[in-house]
Amino acid sequence: MSKKLLLVDVDCGVDDAQALMMALAAPEVEILGITCCHGNTAIENVCRNVLRVLHLCNRMEIPVFRGASNSILGEISPVYSHFGGDGLGDVGDADSPGLEHLQEEDAVHALIRIISQHPGQVSLVALGPLTNIALAAKIDPTISKKLGKLYIMGGNLEGRGNRTVCAEFNFYLDPEAAYIVLNEYTCPTYIASLEFAHGSSLPLEYFKDWVNQDTVKAKFMKTITASYSQKEFVSYDSFAMAAAIDESIITDSMECPVSVELHGSHARGMMVLDTIGKWKKQHKATLIKKANMEKFKQRLWTALV
């Protein structure tokens, strides 16, 4: 059986690392490339973090591409605090590969090239702000017809945010990019929203058992999550990745036209749902509502084996 072809776009913080490690542990998947975007930390740190994960997993053959260092309008002042200043808990790693391991080609052109080389076969998993993916559509408007499927971690369903009152982190960091992607990409699109992720949290007992496995990968995860202080474990990006690897993990969803609010003084960056068909929009996104949590937990567990 041929492997599923994935491209992964990340702003590599702790949860991106978890999602990447999940994909790297999946034998049915081939990762064609990893593109880096601003978000959880500065772009140089994002690139270093991806290389660090690949080195840990002995997968340095996967090409890594540097992408956008800021939003399309360049207006967001980043605050790098959720996963530490460097995105991976500020624990450092003297043996981490250097940026000379990056490809010379930039992320946006790499996305266009790789998707064009495999028309209809590639699933793109977007785990950070959508800047690279929006820019790819502006350079090559045919890209959405060539892309097989798009899986996004981002957006919100009920107007309650985690970056602002009304906006989710990834969409708020580049609202214009999110708007472009949700309105110009017409391939099958799956969205793992903020509310879905929160509603699918795992108990801290699972998290503790997970990071206390006697493996090099588990020790790495335990180190970069040492300051983790939440009451439940939410691996946000891993939900979109798990769905891309095995779509049967989705047990309940709704199809709906979606867009992004750009002009509201309070709601800028909020995902908007047309549940009553006012827009007469043909393309509908699949909004994930529930997942098979036993399958999800097994995917996460295997990521650290």
Side-chain angles (χ1 to χ4, degrees):
M1 181 182 296
S2 59
K3 293 190 175 185
K4 292 185 177 181
L5 304 182
L6 297 188
L7 274 171
V8 188
D9 189 80
V10 299
D11 61 333
C12 197
V14 168
D15 58 339
D16 302 75
Q18 292 163 356
L20 280 176
M21 293 170 77
M22 176 186 285
L24 292 168
E28 66 268 49
V29 160
E30 179 182 353
I31 301 176
L32 299 177
I34 301 171
T35 52
C36 300
C37 185
H38 68 98
N40 281 315
T41 184
I43 189 64
E44 291 80 7
N45 289 332
V46 172
C47 295
R48 287 191 186 96
N49 293 347
V50 170
L51 292 168
R52 189 173 168 188
V53 170
L54 293 179
H55 184 257
L56 172 77
C57 297
N58 297 312
R59 296 297 302 276
M60 288 295 290
E61 79 280 3
I62 297 174
V64 181
F65 306 89
R66 175 183 169 134
S69 60
N70 207 336
S71 64
I72 287 176
L73 296 186
E75 66 176 12
I76 304 298
S77 299
V79 178
Y80 307 132
S81 58
H82 186 64
F83 296 125
D86 73 349
L88 291 184
D90 290 323
V91 296
D93 183 1
D95 297 324
S96 180
L99 295 179
E100 67 273 10
H101 291 277
L102 294 175
Q103 302 295 305
E104 291 187 8
E105 186 179 22
D106 68 87
V108 176
H109 287 90
L111 287 169
I112 294 169
R113 175 181 57 81
I114 295 171
I115 291 168
S116 297
Q117 288 172 344
H118 306 274
Q121 300 176 53
V122 175
S123 290
L124 174 56
V125 188
L127 304 179
L130 297 171
T131 313
N132 290 334
I133 300 162
L135 291 172
K138 288 305 178 185
I139 293 173
D140 181 2
T142 70
I143 192 171
S144 77
K145 295 182 176 65
K146 301 172 188 173
L147 183 61
K149 295 181 180 180
L150 175 60
Y151 295 84
I152 297 171
M153 191 285 129
N156 50 350
L157 305 180
E158 300 171 359
R160 292 177 289 188
N162 62 347
R163 177 72 181 210
T164 67
V165 172
C166 293
E168 178 272 335
F169 179 90
N170 284 341
F171 279 25
Y172 180 76
L173 260 62
D174 198 338
E176 278 68 29
Y179 180 92
I180 290 168
V181 170
L182 294 189
N183 284 284
E184 296 188 16
Y185 277 76
T186 57
C187 59
T189 302
Y190 300 80
I191 299 177
S193 67
L194 179 65
E195 291 92 341
F196 162 66
H198 282 168
S200 305
S201 62
L202 295 170
L204 283 184
E205 289 75 15
Y206 173 90
F207 173 77
K208 291 175 183 177
D209 290 341
W210 184 56
V211 298
N212 281 311
Q213 297 179 72
D214 187 19
T215 69
V216 172
K217 294 176 186 177
K219 290 173 183 175
F220 166 78
M221 189 58 60
K222 187 174 183 178
T223 299
I224 67 174
T225 57
S227 60
Y228 193 84
S229 60
Q230 299 187 39
K231 294 180 180 180
E232 295 178 305
F233 172 41
V234 183
S235 184
Y236 295 91
D237 291 339
S238 297
F239 290 105
M241 182 63 77
I245 295 170
D246 179 8
E247 204 172 299
S248 73
I249 203 166
I250 303 171
T251 59
D252 189 20
S253 63
M254 64 177 286
E255 290 189 347
C256 183
V258 293
S259 190
V260 177
E261 173 59 43
L262 297 181
H263 305 295
S265 59
H266 297 293
R268 177 166 163 75
M270 182 181 78
M271 187 163 74
V272 183
L273 282 61
D274 177 17
T275 60
I276 57 175
K278 284 285 187 180
W279 298 336
K280 310 299 181 185
K281 188 176 176 182
Q282 289 188 342
H283 182 249
K284 297 180 180 180
T286 299
L287 308 174
I288 306 171
K289 297 176 68 176
K290 292 182 181 178
N292 183 320
M293 294 307 294
E294 290 307 312
K295 284 187 176 182
F296 180 73
K297 287 191 291 184
Q298 185 58 49
R299 289 281 177 188
L300 264 184
W301 191 271
T302 303
L304 301 189
V305 171

